[in-house]
């Protein structure tokens, strides 16, 4: 085949492929930088693709709250999952007052008013901060509540994620509320390393998440927030209003997922990825089958 004809055929193929890609409806779903967020992004992506036929580009493990929030504001993302308490305190810089429903309604109203973002119905579970200690320490010192740590704090070292150190509902306010004075400044590390540091006795208490699958598998104990420092953190999809206007079928697809996940469900999904080292997409497919989604 003459080279000129071959080049023309290749060019034509590229043009046709480009046209198909441009005409195919596509949205982008993102996530923060921890396992649960990647699982939830994949859940939204698989369900939307199955329910609507819209192709989903996945951009996971992007970073912390404010980075992902900036990405959706700029149009780099169409959709991601946020937590209501985080949205209220870390993004909106509002003080948390009221129960779960009140905080959800405030976030929904303010996200629409300030950012032109729609807050969909809650997925059904809350992921609050969990102050986690080793199981043998909990037994030895009879630790059940965060307040029980106060007499031990002077000899203990804390470990936290980067975001928790600075956010309004994070480390400074937490230690002030509980009058905690640790032996040194907290050790700051990636969330993926925080439980290993606790097990290896590099730190004595860490700020984890209540739905983390590793807590049970590593025989750790999450202490009760007995002074009710942390607000509700209900998981909710956040979507650009312009995306909903372009693809109104997304509203029904998101409504399908409302109330479908319990905290126990989320812990199992996280454990399947973090403990059993299973593929995220396979874990989500099995969950959707089990839930008839």
């Amino acid at each position: 085949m003459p080279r000129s004809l071959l080049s023309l055929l290749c060019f034509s193929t590229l043009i046709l492929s480009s046209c198909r890609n441009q005409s195919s409806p596509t949205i982008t779903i993102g996530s923060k930088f921890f396992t649960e967020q990647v699982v939830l992004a994949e859940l939204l992506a698989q369900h939307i693709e199955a329910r609507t036929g819209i192709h989903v580009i996945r951009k996971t493990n992007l970073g912390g709250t404010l980075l992902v929030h900036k990405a959706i504001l700029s149009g780099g993302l169409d959709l991601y999952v946020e937590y209501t308490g985080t949205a209220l305190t870390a993004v909106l810089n509002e003080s948390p007052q009221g129960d779960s429903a009140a905080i959800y309604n405030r976030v929904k109203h303010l996200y629409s008013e300030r950012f032109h973002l729609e807050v969909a119905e809650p997925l059904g579970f809350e992921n609050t901060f969990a102050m986690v200690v080793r199981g043998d320490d909990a037994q030895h010192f009879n630790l059940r509540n965060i307040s029980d740590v106060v007499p031990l704090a002077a000899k203990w070292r804390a470990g936290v994620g980067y975001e928790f150190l600075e956010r309004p509902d994070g480390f400074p306010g937490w230690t002030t509320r509980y009058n905690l004075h640790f032996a040194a400044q907290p050790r700051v590390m990636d969330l993926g390393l925080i439980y290993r540091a606790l097990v290896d006795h590099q730190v004595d208490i860490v700020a984890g998440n209540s739905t983390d699958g590793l807590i049970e598998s590593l025989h750790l104990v999450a202490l009760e927030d007995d002074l009710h420092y942390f607000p509700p953190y209900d998981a909710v999809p956040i979507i650009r209003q312009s995306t909903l206007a372009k693809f109104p079928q997304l509203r029904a697809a998101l409504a399908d997922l409302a109330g479908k996940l319990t905290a126990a469900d989320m812990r199992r999904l996280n454990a399947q990825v973090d403990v059993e080292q299973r593929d995220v997409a396979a874990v989500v497919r099995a969950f959707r089958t089990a839930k008839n989604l």
Side-chain angles (χ1 to χ4, degrees), residues 134 155-159 184-189 193-206:
R134 290 179 289 272
K155 295 182 179 180
W156 273 23
R157 299 150 299 168
Q185 289 298 307
R187 180 172 177 179
V188 184
M189 65 193 82
L193 303 175
I194 207 161
Y195 294 124
R196 180 51 56 189
L198 180 61
V199 170
D200 291 343
H201 289 256
Q202 297 173 25
V203 292
D204 303 294
I205 184 170
V206 299

Side-chain angles (χ1 to χ4, degrees), residues 254-281:
L254 292 176
D256 287 344
L257 298 174
K260 290 297 193 297
L261 283 130
T262 65
D265 288 333
M266 199 67 246
R267 276 191 291 272
R268 281 193 295 270
L269 293 172
N270 288 333
Q272 286 169 7
V273 176
D274 285 335
V275 181
E276 300 173 20
Q277 298 294 300
R278 292 177 58 189
D279 175 68
V280 170

Side-chain angles (χ1 to χ4, degrees), residues 4-293:
S4 59
L5 179 57
L6 180 61
S7 298
L8 179 61
L9 287 173
C10 290
F11 180 73
S12 299
T13 300
L14 287 172
I15 292 296
L16 288 171
S17 175
S18 175
C19 289
R20 282 197 298 269
N21 289 338
Q22 289 177 8
S23 62
S24 175
T26 301
I27 65 169
T28 302
I29 294 178
S31 84
K32 303 183 195 181
F33 188 63
F34 58 95
T35 298
E36 176 169 301
Q37 281 276 300
V38 178
V39 171
L40 292 174
E42 182 63 24
L43 174 61
L44 292 179
Q46 286 190 22
H47 186 68
I48 286 170
E49 287 179 334
R51 181 81 155 76
T52 70
I54 296 171
H55 174 65
V56 176
I57 297 171
R58 291 133 166 103
K59 291 185 178 179
T60 56
N61 284 313
L62 292 177
T65 297
L66 296 182
L67 190 152
V68 178
H69 179 67
K70 288 179 181 178
I72 198 169
L73 289 184
S74 69
L77 298 178
D78 294 290
L79 174 64
Y80 82 104
V81 174
E82 188 53 273
Y83 306 92
T84 52
T86 298
L88 190 67
T89 58
V91 178
L92 293 165
N93 294 312
E94 297 278 329
S95 59
Q97 295 178 351
D99 60 10
S100 293
I103 287 179
Y104 169 78
N105 288 328
R106 281 176 67 193
V107 170
K108 184 177 179 66
H109 171 72
L110 291 173
Y111 263 53
S112 177
E113 182 180 73
R114 296 186 191 179
F115 308 131
H116 303 292
L117 297 174
E118 182 84 7
V119 180
E121 296 174 70
L123 295 174
F125 75 96
E126 177 189 10
N127 182 2
T128 187
F129 284 109
M131 299 301 120
V132 180
V133 298
R134 290 179 289 272
D136 54 354
D137 282 345
Q139 185 174 8
H140 179 73
F141 295 110
N142 194 28
L143 304 177
R144 294 182 58 194
N145 300 317
I146 296 174
S147 294
D148 297 332
V149 175
V150 173
L152 305 171
K155 295 182 179 180
W156 273 23
R157 299 150 299 168
V160 301
Y162 297 101
E163 190 173 309
F164 187 74
L165 185 67
E166 302 292 341
R167 53 188 286 168
D169 54 345
F171 187 81
W174 173 64
T175 52
T176 299
R177 172 71 66 87
Y178 280 94
N179 195 28
L180 291 166
H181 302 281
F182 290 105
Q185 289 298 307
R187 180 172 177 179
V188 184
M189 65 193 82
D190 288 337
L191 290 176
L193 303 175
I194 207 161
Y195 294 124
R196 180 51 56 189
L198 180 61
V199 170
D200 291 343
H201 289 256
Q202 297 173 25
V203 292
D204 303 294
I205 184 170
V206 299
N209 295 311
S210 61
T211 52
D212 285 339
L214 287 170
I215 294 176
E216 183 177 353
S217 68
L218 294 175
H219 308 293
L220 306 175
V221 172
L223 302 176
E224 290 292 326
D225 179 19
D226 52 308
L227 297 185
H228 307 291
Y229 171 70
F230 296 110
Y233 296 95
D234 294 305
V236 291
I238 306 290
I239 185 168
R240 291 172 59 86
Q241 290 178 350
S242 58
T243 302
L244 274 179
K246 186 176 181 181
F247 302 115
Q249 63 269 44
L250 288 172
R251 193 177 296 278
L254 292 176
D256 287 344
L257 298 174
K260 290 297 193 297
L261 283 130
T262 65
D265 288 333
M266 199 67 246
R267 276 191 291 272
R268 281 193 295 270
L269 293 172
N270 288 333
Q272 286 169 7
V273 176
D274 285 335
V275 181
E276 300 173 20
Q277 298 294 300
R278 292 177 58 189
D279 175 68
V280 170
V283 166
V284 170
R285 279 195 296 270
F287 175 79
R288 292 183 61 247
T289 299
K291 293 285 187 176
N292 294 315
L293 292 172

